[in-house]
Each structure stands twice: as C-alpha cells, then as structure tokens.
Amino acid sequence: MAVPKRKSSKQRKRQRRAHIKLNTPNMQFDVATGEYRLSHHVSPSGMYKGEKVISDNKEA
C-alpha cells in the first residue's frame, strides 16, 4: 500500500485543490429579447440569432 513519506502541508494541499471549483455558466444578455440566455442556446422566448425558431403554439 502506498504511504506518504512526509505529511502534506496545508499550503500544498490547498494548492492542489485550487483548481477544483464550480464554473459559472456562460450567460449572455440578449439585446433583442432583453433576457439572459446561455451562449449558443435558444432563448426562453424561442429566439436564436435574431430568428424565431420555436413557435408559441401550445397544441394538445
């Protein structure tokens, strides 16, 4: 079994863990709709690159 030869210091342990973090989503403000949306995704109103790609019709 692998056993460390020396105790890892707090500094070295924290340096190793510094890259383990949550990333914030890449949100963009859409001027056309006035809403925030993810990059390269359709906005909640159905707009993408200035075009309506999802209709608002709710068919049962």
Side-chain angles (χ1 to χ4, degrees):
M1 185 169 107
V3 178
K5 194 166 189 176
R6 300 198 185 280
K7 179 180 177 181
S8 295
S9 67
K10 293 175 194 170
Q11 180 181 4
R12 191 163 294 280
K13 177 172 58 175
R14 290 172 184 162
Q15 282 176 349
R16 184 178 66 244
R17 294 179 180 171
H19 302 287
I20 303 171
K21 60 188 173 206
L22 293 174
N23 294 327
T24 57
N26 194 7
M27 299 292 286
Q28 300 292 324
F29 182 74
D30 192 4
V31 180
T33 59
E35 301 173 322
Y36 284 95
R37 62 173 177 79
L38 289 171
S39 296
H40 303 97
H41 285 71
V42 178
S43 68
S45 61
M47 299 289 288
Y48 185 73
K49 290 188 177 179
E51 297 180 15
K52 187 80 169 176
V53 293
I54 299 176
S55 62
D56 294 334
N57 297 345
K58 305 254 177 148
E59 298 178 9

